[in-house]
Amino acid sequence: CTLLVEMSGPVSRLSKNSRLTVSRSPSVDASQRASQPQQSGSVQCGMPEDDDDLKKKGDTFWADIKDDWHNIAILTLLYILQGIPLGLAGLAPFLLTEKGVGMTALATFSMCVFPYSIKVLWAPIVDSVFFSAVGRRKTWLIPSQLLIGILLIIAPIQRWVEDLEISSLTVLFVVLYFCAATQDVAVDGWALEILSRKNVSLASPCNTAGQTLGMFIASSGYLLLSSNDMATLDQFSQFSGLCFIIVTTCIWIFKKEDPPEGIEDFHGSYKLMWKMFKLPAVRSMVGQFWFAKAPFGLASVAVLQIQEGGVSKEKIAVMNSVLTMVLILFPALAANWFKNIDGMTLFDKMYIPRLLLGPVAVALAAMAPSFAHSPGYLAVVFIWLLFDGVLATGQFISQMSFFNKVSDPMYGGTYMTFLNTIANIAAFWPIPFSLRCSSYLGFGTCSFIMLTVSTFWYVVFGKAGFKKLSALRSEDWLVRPDVEGDGEIVVST
C-alpha cells in the first residue's frame, strides 16, 4: 500500500520502529471519507485527487528521480536482459512458420511461456531463502542469469529450427522462461527496495521499456542482422549469452544490497500468499482479468496469418523495429502521467479501443494473399500494429503501476509476483487457445466467436468490474494488518 503521509513538520524518513495508525470505520463510505478534512499526522491511502497536487507532482518529477537515477538504470538493464530470451521465443514462431510448421505445432511451442505464468509457485522461496553474504535478491538473480547465458551459448538453436525439432526447442525455452521468471521475481522485489517510495511506481515503466527493448533486440534486431547476412541465429544467441555473463558478473561485484530486515521463512510466505488469494479484492481481479484478456491472443495469430499470406518476416521485422522504438519511448514520455493516474481506470478506457482492433486484424489477415506486396496494405498493417502495441503497452503499464502501489515492500517479490501471475495467466491462455481454435475452425470464425463473447461480457459485467476495482480502498489489498483497540489498523514500517 502506498502511504501518502501528511505530517505537521518535514519528515524525510520514518524510523524503523515507528507505527502508523489508520482509523477503520466500516460505517463511513468512500465519498464521506473524501469529504472529511485530514488531520495532521493522518495517513491517506489511494490515488491523489486534487489537480493542484498532480501539477505539483509533475513539476517535481525530475527532482524526485535525481537520487534514484542509477537504480532506475540498473533495473532497466536487468529488464532488458530479461526480454532477450522472451524475444527469442517470440522470434521462433516466425522462423518456424517460414518452414511450413502448422498452427497445432506452434500451439505446442507456445506452451514454453507457461513457467512465466506460474512463477508464483516458487516466488515465496525466492523471497525468503538466500545467502546473506551474496544478498537477498542476488542469490537468485546471479545463477538465473548465468544459466540463461550458458544455455544461449551452447544450445544449437539454429539446427533445431532448420530440422523442425519442436520438442527440443520447447524444452529449451521452458528452461529459459523458468530462469527468466525467477529473475523477474528477484528484480520485481529488488525494485521495491532500491527505489524510494516516491519513485516506486517508476518500476513499471522500467519493466515495460526494458523488456520491450530486450525483446526487440532478440527478435527484430536479429531479423535485421540476418537479412543482411551479418549474423546467424547461433552467433546471435552466443553473443547474447556472453552479454548475460558479463553484465551478471558486474552486478555481482559492484552492486551492493542492504541487509534485509524482518524476513519470514517461505512457509510464512506461502501462508501469506494463501491469505492474499482469499481477499475479495484479489478474487474480483482474477475473474476480471480472466475474461478481459481473452480476445487479445488473436493479435498473435493474425500476425502469423499475415506472414502466411505472403508478407515476409523481414518486412514484419522492419515494422517491429519502428514500432519498438515508439513503445520504448512511450513509457518514458508517459511515466509522469502513469504515476498519477489510477491504473484500473486507464486499463478500462483502453479496453474498447483495443477490442475494436480485432475486426481490423481479421480483415488484414484475409486480405494478405491478395495485397501482401502493396505499399498501402503494408502501411495499414503497420498502423494496426502501432495502435495495438500502444494500447497493449498502456494496459500493461497501468496494471503494473496498480500492482506496485498495492504491494507490501517487505514481501515485494511475493506480492508483485502473485498479482502478476494472475495477469500473466489471463494473458497466456488466449494464445494457445486461439492457435488451436484457428487450426480447427479457421481464423475468421474463431475471431468472430471470441470477439462477440468478449463484447457481451464487457457490456454486461466488465465495465462495472473495472469500476469496482478502481473504487477499492488501498487497505482492501492488505493481508496482514494487526488490529488493536477499537478498530485501529497498526501498520509496522
Side-chain angles (χ1 to χ4, degrees), residues 144-188:
S144 297
Q145 294 190 168
L146 288 178
L147 182 56
I148 291 175
I150 293 171
L151 289 175
L152 291 177
I153 291 174
I154 66 174
I157 301 177
Q158 185 170 345
R159 178 172 62 82
W160 289 346
V161 170
E162 292 175 351
D163 295 343
L164 303 181
E165 297 187 24
I166 305 298
S167 298
S168 299
L169 287 170
T170 302
V171 171
L172 170 66
F173 280 100
V174 164
V175 177
L176 290 176
Y177 259 92
F178 175 82
C179 294
T182 303
Q183 187 252 28
D184 185 60
V185 175
V187 176
D188 283 348

Side-chain angles (χ1 to χ4, degrees), residues 36-114:
Q36 292 175 348
Q38 295 185 15
Q39 303 297 325
S40 174
S42 67
V43 177
Q44 176 189 9
C45 293
M47 303 298 301
E49 300 175 356
D50 188 84
D51 291 340
D52 292 336
D53 290 341
L54 295 181
K55 184 177 184 300
K56 183 182 295 184
K57 286 180 176 293
D59 294 339
T60 60
F61 173 71
W62 296 109
D64 287 346
I65 68 172
K66 181 178 180 181
D67 296 332
D68 271 340
W69 71 266
H70 55 290
N71 290 324
I72 292 173
I74 290 174
L75 289 175
T76 303
L77 177 60
L78 292 175
Y79 283 123
I80 289 173
L81 291 179
Q82 185 185 126
I84 289 178
L86 277 57
L88 288 173
L91 169 68
F94 288 101
L95 301 178
L96 294 172
T97 298
E98 191 178 42
K99 301 289 184 181
V101 173
M103 291 291 181
T104 302
L106 292 177
T108 300
F109 176 79
S110 69
M111 298 297 293
C112 69
V113 307
F114 193 58

Side-chain angles (χ1 to χ4, degrees), residues 388-444:
D388 186 70
V390 169
L391 292 173
T393 302
Q395 286 187 321
F396 177 75
I397 294 177
S398 66
Q399 76 179 30
M400 285 290 292
S401 179
F402 183 77
F403 294 165
N404 274 313
K405 289 179 181 296
V406 301
S407 294
D408 184 346
M410 181 175 292
Y411 299 96
T414 302
Y415 267 79
M416 282 292 295
T417 301
F418 187 86
L419 296 176
N420 280 325
T421 296
I422 295 172
N424 288 340
I425 293 177
F428 161 73
W429 75 264
I431 297 177
F433 178 82
S434 299
L435 286 167
R436 291 192 180 275
C437 179
S438 298
S439 67
Y440 293 122
L441 301 178
F443 179 61

